[in-house]
């Protein structure tokens, strides 16, 4: 008994010593998870130029003085930010959003521009700044453009096209597209036909009334034909979209789509409501929906006929995907025609050429084709095929919104393609079919646009390093690229109409975006200062960029937050969204996690975040490395990162934690379920637990569908590997998440219960969706994450 007292005293002294000298931080979870506008400062966004190029506007709420972002401006003469008054906002001219060659929003000499404000049409005279209101209706006018002669405005209203003459104000309806079906003349049955014939034969008054009806009908038809009405076309139950008229005003094009599937959408519950009753929320469909037929129609106003374009005349339209051939999936040859849909046609400014973008529902093919509207024939200009899926900067995952347009010569169409392995800028001569690559190299091009004279390209690029973004100009035919921005980090630039001034949102790792202005290639001037004194008082770390060698020999980029006094533990962070980039030199979209990583480093943790395979910014092969197996190569990069930590910092796997949200939560689950020997604990936030229950657009690109590729879903879904859980696991989830739905985590919880697993917990957030909003929720979530790491991986 006596001998135990000195030992107890020694243990007390040891405990006291460790506690007294454990690392502390100026930061706390409650501090960094409070409203960012109050703590960091509300940084500006969305800069744009006025049409005359003399004023730069941007949204901003400096020091949180206003209830929401307000509109601010600077001028070339006065760089002091001034808040724009309400009256000025209501009477503001059009936004300059590029010269939009071929879209006819300007007249031929760029002296006037037509635009929409609050559903009405306006005409802007660029030299004087005069705005003329053209319409004032309860309806919504949209998609305005000048007629080829410049004497009228063509626009869309209620799924029909109209033409407004600028000199007389005459309004003419150009199309007559209607819902429902064409009325049909009812025919009597046999008995009724006999009686009608008998009445006409017996009574003269009946015959006179019939003759008068025929005369009235003939007169009405003559009057209508004299007015030259547009042909009537009935859409039935289908909706109409992409309605447009070619510049020569002969061809109307539109797409018809069936109504959305009913009864297939998922449901969620809103639990904390004003009424006290739970409310049902309609959400998305699950992966595996039946493809919808979206048909392109051409209406020839000269021939008064409407016909559908057969998209399947394109080469490869009937190809069976490679994965189905390899897996031996039985394909009925009579039903192997893939679902195709189109965007466009995109007309040259002179109306002589039309280009159509055609995509497959499985997103493994994209065609650019020249359309002959008179015959409906398609001539192939470019085909991009990918056995994984078509995507990349300037190339939408699901069609539409892709980069494309005409050069001023009306013969060359420009587009972006990943044919070289990175998304680059191309042109194709629509008359000869010759394709020319304008940019090349191990980098990507973003948002190309042309100068007013059409001789110069402006675009953002990652040339030099995937971690940076700079703004460039280049001759229209390609060649030498000149970098215009000079600031370090990430630059999102908008160029003034004259090309002589840049408005820039620039950020670095330790500072959110701020507005700068710059004469190209010269020194930039900072316009805004948004950070609070409280935020600036802490010495925020710039993480070190490294590359570690993965097990397949590829060098993988990562950020490292190194502590001054290591505590013998490390944390791996996994970004969400799959296809996004987090290892770069700008302000992270994960700014809360950035602050949390500073706190962890203060406490002695090594923190590493990885741009694993599937991340954006590194080209096609990096993006598609997860095809048919999420939780394969992407997870292996984190296994390799764990081994890198052990080799570099001497930290064993039991002292390495992993966490992330959404896709990052999914990787965390896969890490703890399938590779537990490399990790000591994990926090899976709003995580996908079973890909068969996620949305169609994202999932079907990577894993195809459960009906056609069950193997891909089986090996990619964490719920199938839950028996492998060995380490402590935290799973926070919002209960009104309409993206990764609450059902996901409930199903996994039940699976873990049935498996008899221990040391796991689900943290519920009743008022939160996929992206948390309330500071109290953020604080509670990250306190739990910190407690997990402090209690389980810290030596």
């Amino acid at each position: 008994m006596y001998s135990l007292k000195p030992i107890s005293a020694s243990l007390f002294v040891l405990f006291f010593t460790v506690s007294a000298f454990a690392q502390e931080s100026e930061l706390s979870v409650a501090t960094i998870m409070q409203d960012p506008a109050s703590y960091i400062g509300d940084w500006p966004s969305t800069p744009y130029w006025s049409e005359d190029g003399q004023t730069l506007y941007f949204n901003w709420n400096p020091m949180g003085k206003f209830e929401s972002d307000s509109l601010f401006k600077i001028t070339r003469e006065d760089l002091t930010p001034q808040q724009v008054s309400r009256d000025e906002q209501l009477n503001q001219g059009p936004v300059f959003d590029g010269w939009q060659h071929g879209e006819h929003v300007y007249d031929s000499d760029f002296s006037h521009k037509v635009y929409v404000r609050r559903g009405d049409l306006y005409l802007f005279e660029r030299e004087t700044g005069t705005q003329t209101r053209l319409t004032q209706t309860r309806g919504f006018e949209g998609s305005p453009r000048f007629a080829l002669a410049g004497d009228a405005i063509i626009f869309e209203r209620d799924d029909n096209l109209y033409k407004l003459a600028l000199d007389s104000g005459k309004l003419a309806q150009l199309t007559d597209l209607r819902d429902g079906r064409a009325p049909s003349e009812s025919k009597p049955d046999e008995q009724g036909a006999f009686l009608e014939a008998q009445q006409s034969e017996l009574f003269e008054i009946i015959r006179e009334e019939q003759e008068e009806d025929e005369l009235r009908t003939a007169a009405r038809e003559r009057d209508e034909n004299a007015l030259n009405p547009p042909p009537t076309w009935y859409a039935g139950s289908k909706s109409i979209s992409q309605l447009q008229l070619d510049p020569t005003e002969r061809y109307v094009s539109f797409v018809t789509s069936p109504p959305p599937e009913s009864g297939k959408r998922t449901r969620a519950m809103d639990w904390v409501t004003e009424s006290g009753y739970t409310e049902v929320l309609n959400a998305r469909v699950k992966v595996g929906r039946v493809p919808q037929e979206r048909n392109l129609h051409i209406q020839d106003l000269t021939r008064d006929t409407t016909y559908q374009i057969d998209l399947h005349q394109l080469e490869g339209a009937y190809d069976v995907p490679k994965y189905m051939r390899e897996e031996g999936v039985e394909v009925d040859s009579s039903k192997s025609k893939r679902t195709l849909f189109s965007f466009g046609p995109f007309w040259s400014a002179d109306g002589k050429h039309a280009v159509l973008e055609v995509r497959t529902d499985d997103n493994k093919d994209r065609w650019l084709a020249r359309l002959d509207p008179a015959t409906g024939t398609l001539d192939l200009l470019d085909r991009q095929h990918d056995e994984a899926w078509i995507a990349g900067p300037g190339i939408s995952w699901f069609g539409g919104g892709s980069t494309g347009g005409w050069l001023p010569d009306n013969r060359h169409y420009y587009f972006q393609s990943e044919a070289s392995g990175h998304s680059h800028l191309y042109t194709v001569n629509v008359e000869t079919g010759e394709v020319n690559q304008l940019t090349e190299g191990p980098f990507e091009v973003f948002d190309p646009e042309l100068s007013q004279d059409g001789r110069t390209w402006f675009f953002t690029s990652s040339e030099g390093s995937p971690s940076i973004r700079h703004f460039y100009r280049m001759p229209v035919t390609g060649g030498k690229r000149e970098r215009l921005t000079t600031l370090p980090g990430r630059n999102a630039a908008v160029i003034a109409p004259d090309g002589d001034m840049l408005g820039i949102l620039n950020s670095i790792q330790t500072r959110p975006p701020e507005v700068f202005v710059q004469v190209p290639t010269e020194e930039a001037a900072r316009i805004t200062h948004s950070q609070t004194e409280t935020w600036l008082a802490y010495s925020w770390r710039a993480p070190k960029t490294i590359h570690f060698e993965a097990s397949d020999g590829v060098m993988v980029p990562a950020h490292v937050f190194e502590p001054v006094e290591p505590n013998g533990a490390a944390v791996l962070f996994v970004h969400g969204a799959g296809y996004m980039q987090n290892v770069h030199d700008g302000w992270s979209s994960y700014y809360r996690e950035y602050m949390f990583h500073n706190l962890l480093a203060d406490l002695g943790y090594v923190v590493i975040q990885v741009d694993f395979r599937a991340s954006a910014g590194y080209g096609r092969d990096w993006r598609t490395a997860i095809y048919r197996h999420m939780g394969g190569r992407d997870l292996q990069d984190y296994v390799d990162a764990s081994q890198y930590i052990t080799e570099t910092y001497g930290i064993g796997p039991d002292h390495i934690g992993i966490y992330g949200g959404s896709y990052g939560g999914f990787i965390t689950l896969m890490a703890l379920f399938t590779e537990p020997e490399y990790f000591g604990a994990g926090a899976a936030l709003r995580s996908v637990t079973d890909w068969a229950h996620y949305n169609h657009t994202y999932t079907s690109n990577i894993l195809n569908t459960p009906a056609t590729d069950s193997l891909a879903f089986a090996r990619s879904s964490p719920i199938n590997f839950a028996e492998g859980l060995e380490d402590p696991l935290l799973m926070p989830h919002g209960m009104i998440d309409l993206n990764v739905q609450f059902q996901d985590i409930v199903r996994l919880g039940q699976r873990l219960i049935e498996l008899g697993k221990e040391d796991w917990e689900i943290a519920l957030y009743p008022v939160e969706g996929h992206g948390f909003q309330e500071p109290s929720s953020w604080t509670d979530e990250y306190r739990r994450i910190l407690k997990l790491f402090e209690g389980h991986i810290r030596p």
Side-chain angles (χ1 to χ4, degrees):
M1 293 288 294
Y2 181 83
S3 62
L4 292 178
K5 290 184 179 179
I7 297 176
S8 298
S10 299
L11 288 174
F12 175 79
V13 172
L14 177 60
F15 175 79
F16 179 82
T17 303
V18 171
S19 299
F21 293 97
Q23 293 98 323
E24 295 183 357
S25 174
E26 301 173 35
L27 305 175
S28 70
V29 171
T31 297
I32 63 179
M33 296 300 163
Q34 63 183 297
D35 179 14
S38 302
Y39 179 51
I40 306 172
D42 201 331
W43 52 89
S45 65
T46 326
Y48 61 89
W49 288 99
S50 60
E51 189 64 37
D52 62 8
Q54 298 303 306
T55 305
L56 180 71
Y57 294 94
F58 51 92
N59 293 315
W60 194 30
N61 187 0
M63 303 307 166
K65 294 179 181 177
F66 309 99
E67 291 185 2
S68 60
D69 283 357
S70 296
L71 187 65
F72 278 74
K73 68 177 182 180
I74 60 168
T75 65
R76 294 200 185 195
E77 290 73 29
D78 185 358
L79 299 183
T80 304
Q82 301 290 332
Q83 188 179 13
V84 178
S85 69
R86 178 64 176 169
D87 287 343
E88 185 177 348
Q89 289 188 54
L90 293 174
N91 296 291
Q92 187 183 3
V95 173
F96 177 72
D97 49 3
W99 291 108
Q100 303 182 57
H101 293 273
E103 297 185 22
H104 293 284
V105 295
Y106 294 96
D107 55 10
S108 58
D109 61 359
F110 294 98
S111 61
H112 294 82
K113 183 177 185 178
V114 62
Y115 66 102
V116 176
R117 179 194 292 162
R118 293 187 294 278
D120 287 318
L121 303 182
Y122 287 78
L123 186 67
F124 183 76
E125 186 177 2
R126 299 186 66 248
E127 182 176 351
T128 64
T130 303
Q131 302 177 64
T132 303
R133 188 171 191 165
L134 301 179
T135 64
Q136 187 171 358
T137 69
R138 289 182 177 272
F140 183 90
E141 287 84 39
S143 305
R145 66 174 181 84
F146 283 92
L148 193 59
D151 59 347
I153 303 299
I154 296 169
F155 63 93
E156 182 178 348
R157 179 201 291 164
D158 298 329
D159 288 338
N160 276 293
L161 293 173
Y162 294 80
K163 184 175 183 178
L164 178 65
L166 291 175
D167 54 355
S168 65
K170 177 184 176 182
L171 181 65
Q173 184 171 340
L174 303 179
T175 63
D176 187 14
L177 307 180
R178 303 184 185 183
D179 296 331
R181 300 188 180 278
S184 58
E185 184 177 348
S186 60
K187 296 182 179 180
D189 56 21
E190 290 184 359
Q191 180 188 18
F194 170 80
L195 293 176
E196 287 183 8
Q198 184 188 49
Q199 293 293 91
S200 297
E201 183 178 345
L202 291 174
F203 302 107
E204 181 178 354
I205 190 172
I206 298 294
R207 293 193 295 273
E208 291 175 353
E209 289 177 352
Q210 289 174 339
E211 290 175 0
E212 290 175 1
D213 285 343
E214 291 173 359
L215 291 173
R216 282 194 295 268
T217 300
R220 185 173 63 251
E221 291 177 350
R222 285 195 303 271
D223 292 343
E224 289 177 351
N225 291 333
L227 295 173
N228 192 26
T232 301
W233 192 86
Y234 291 89
S237 61
K238 296 183 177 181
S239 61
I240 292 174
S241 61
Q242 302 186 54
L243 177 62
Q244 59 179 317
L245 181 69
D246 88 288
T248 69
E249 300 183 28
R250 174 177 174 178
Y251 297 105
V252 175
S253 61
F254 57 92
V255 170
T256 58
S257 306
E261 290 180 289
S262 60
K264 296 291 185 180
R265 305 192 75 84
T266 55
R267 302 287 187 268
M269 300 296 292
D270 187 355
W271 301 91
V272 182
T273 64
E274 184 177 359
S275 68
Y277 291 87
T278 54
E279 297 177 3
V280 178
L281 305 174
N282 288 323
R284 52 168 172 76
V285 298
K286 295 186 179 185
V287 62
R289 62 164 171 75
V290 177
Q292 287 188 317
E293 292 285 347
R294 287 164 280 180
N295 298 319
L296 173 66
H297 301 267
I298 299 292
Q299 190 173 80
D300 187 336
L301 299 180
T302 300
R303 293 187 291 166
D304 191 10
T305 182
T306 302
Y307 42 93
Q308 182 179 323
I309 302 300
D310 178 18
L311 302 179
H312 286 85
Q313 62 187 279
L314 290 165
E315 177 185 355
Y318 292 86
D319 289 356
V320 176
K322 181 180 178 181
Y323 80 92
M324 298 181 74
R325 302 194 304 270
E326 289 180 343
E327 297 297 328
V329 176
E330 293 186 10
V331 179
D332 185 344
S333 59
S334 65
K335 300 179 180 179
S336 63
K337 184 170 72 172
R338 290 188 288 169
T339 301
L340 272 57
F341 56 96
S342 65
F343 293 90
F346 305 103
W347 292 93
S348 59
D350 58 8
K352 293 182 179 179
H353 303 292
V355 168
L356 205 61
E357 179 185 357
V358 181
R359 304 289 286 265
T360 54
D361 191 76
D362 63 17
N363 202 14
K364 299 183 188 302
D365 280 285
R366 181 197 68 177
W367 296 268
L368 294 178
R370 183 179 59 199
L371 168 67
D372 181 349
T375 64
T377 57
L378 298 173
D379 294 318
L380 182 64
L381 298 172
D382 181 79
R383 179 187 180 187
Q384 185 180 344
H385 174 77
D386 198 316
E387 286 293 346
W389 73 95
I390 303 290
I395 312 163
S396 170
W397 277 45
F398 46 87
S402 298
T403 293
W406 289 92
L407 300 190
D409 66 1
N410 292 318
R411 292 186 301 115
H412 288 86
Y413 186 84
Y414 67 85
F415 61 98
Q416 285 188 245
S417 171
E418 275 191 327
S420 68
H422 291 80
S423 184
H424 282 291
L425 185 59
Y426 293 75
T427 60
V428 58
N429 186 318
V430 298
E431 296 177 352
T432 67
E434 179 184 1
V435 176
N436 185 29
Q437 184 174 347
L438 302 185
T439 60
E440 58 181 328
F443 61 90
E444 297 180 315
V445 170
F446 306 84
D447 305 317
E449 59 179 293
L450 286 164
S451 60
Q452 182 179 1
D453 60 14
R455 297 178 180 177
T456 304
W457 285 110
F458 297 102
F459 55 82
T460 301
S461 168
S462 59
E463 185 170 1
S465 169
S467 296
I468 60 176
R469 295 289 184 273
H470 280 293
F471 197 67
Y472 288 78
R473 65 182 166 203
M474 178 184 74
V476 70
T477 55
K480 182 180 179 181
R481 297 178 291 275
E482 182 182 12
R483 198 181 86 181
L484 303 183
T485 47
T486 59
L487 294 166
R490 308 262 284 196
N491 297 279
V494 288
I495 193 157
D498 59 10
D500 291 339
M501 183 71 75
L502 296 173
I504 305 169
L505 269 184
N506 169 268
S507 71
I508 57 176
Q509 292 172 335
T510 57
R511 174 181 50 74
E514 297 285 8
V515 174
F516 291 74
V517 291
Q518 179 185 356
V519 174
T521 73
E522 296 184 7
E523 186 176 354
R526 182 169 174 174
I527 302 301
T528 60
H529 294 76
S530 305
Q531 288 76 62
T532 66
E533 292 299 324
T534 305
W535 160 266
L536 293 172
Y538 179 83
S539 182
W540 298 99
R541 294 171 176 82
K544 181 172 64 174
T545 301
I546 65 163
H547 290 78
F548 63 87
E549 185 174 357
S551 54
D552 60 354
V554 172
M555 301 305 293
V556 178
H559 273 165
V560 180
F561 296 79
E562 290 187 338
V564 175
E565 299 180 18
N567 68 7
V571 171
L572 286 164
F573 171 67
V574 194
H575 70 67
Y579 187 64
M580 72 156 289
Q581 186 179 10
N582 196 36
V583 178
H584 55 74
D585 291 350
W587 181 248
S588 176
S589 57
Y590 288 95
Y591 56 86
R592 289 184 177 89
E593 287 77 2
Y594 167 74
M595 295 186 289
F596 185 58
H597 297 162
N598 273 267
L599 186 156
L600 289 175
D602 286 348
L603 299 178
Y605 291 88
V606 174
V607 183
I608 297 185
Q609 54 194 30
V610 179
D611 270 351
F612 50 90
R613 246 64 69 91
S615 298
Y618 306 95
R620 182 265 171 197
D621 291 347
W622 202 274
R623 172 176 61 80
T624 61
I626 60 168
Y627 177 58
R628 300 189 68 212
H629 191 185
M630 290 192 276
R633 186 63 257 179
D634 45 2
L635 173 59
Q636 185 60 46
D637 285 344
Y638 271 89
V639 170
D640 297 337
S642 174
Q643 293 178 302
Y644 170 83
I645 290 172
T646 300
E647 294 167 2
T648 306
Y649 299 99
I651 299 173
D654 287 343
H655 301 295
I656 299 175
I658 184 170
Y659 88 105
S662 196
Y663 198 95
F666 152 72
I667 288 291
T668 299
L669 292 177
M670 291 295 277
L672 268 60
F673 292 174
T674 67
E675 301 284 357
E677 64 269 30
Y678 296 100
F679 308 96
L685 292 58
R686 51 194 179 276
S687 52
V688 176
T689 67
D690 187 342
W691 287 108
H693 290 258
Y694 196 53
N695 72 39
H696 182 83
T697 301
Y698 180 88
T699 315
S700 64
N701 276 286
I702 305 173
L703 300 181
N704 303 306
T705 67
T708 62
D709 201 354
S710 58
L711 173 61
F713 282 82
R715 65 188 176 191
S716 299
S717 296
I719 198 168
N720 297 328
F721 304 98
E723 68 274 8
L725 180 63
E726 298 177 0
D727 301 307
L729 171 62
L730 169 67
M731 295 177 288
H733 213 107
M735 294 179 69
I736 55 173
D737 192 335
L738 301 184
N739 183 11
V740 181
Q741 295 173 357
F742 185 51
Q743 182 190 28
D744 263 52
I745 206 65
V746 171
R747 293 177 70 245
L748 179 58
Q750 180 61 26
R751 178 74 176 140
L752 293 171
I753 291 169
E754 293 181 3
L755 289 168
K757 294 296 179 179
E758 302 178 6
D759 212 1
W760 61 273
E761 66 175 355
I762 298 175
L764 305 180
Y765 296 89
V767 301
E768 297 294 355
H770 193 60
F772 282 17
Q773 299 294 322
E774 297 299 321
S776 58
S777 300
W778 282 103
T779 300
D780 182 88
E781 181 179 46
Y782 275 79
R783 279 177 177 163
R784 293 175 185 272
I785 297 170
L786 181 59
K787 181 179 179 180
L788 174 77
F789 293 149
E790 289 279 83
H792 292 283
I793 67 169
R794 182 170 182 155

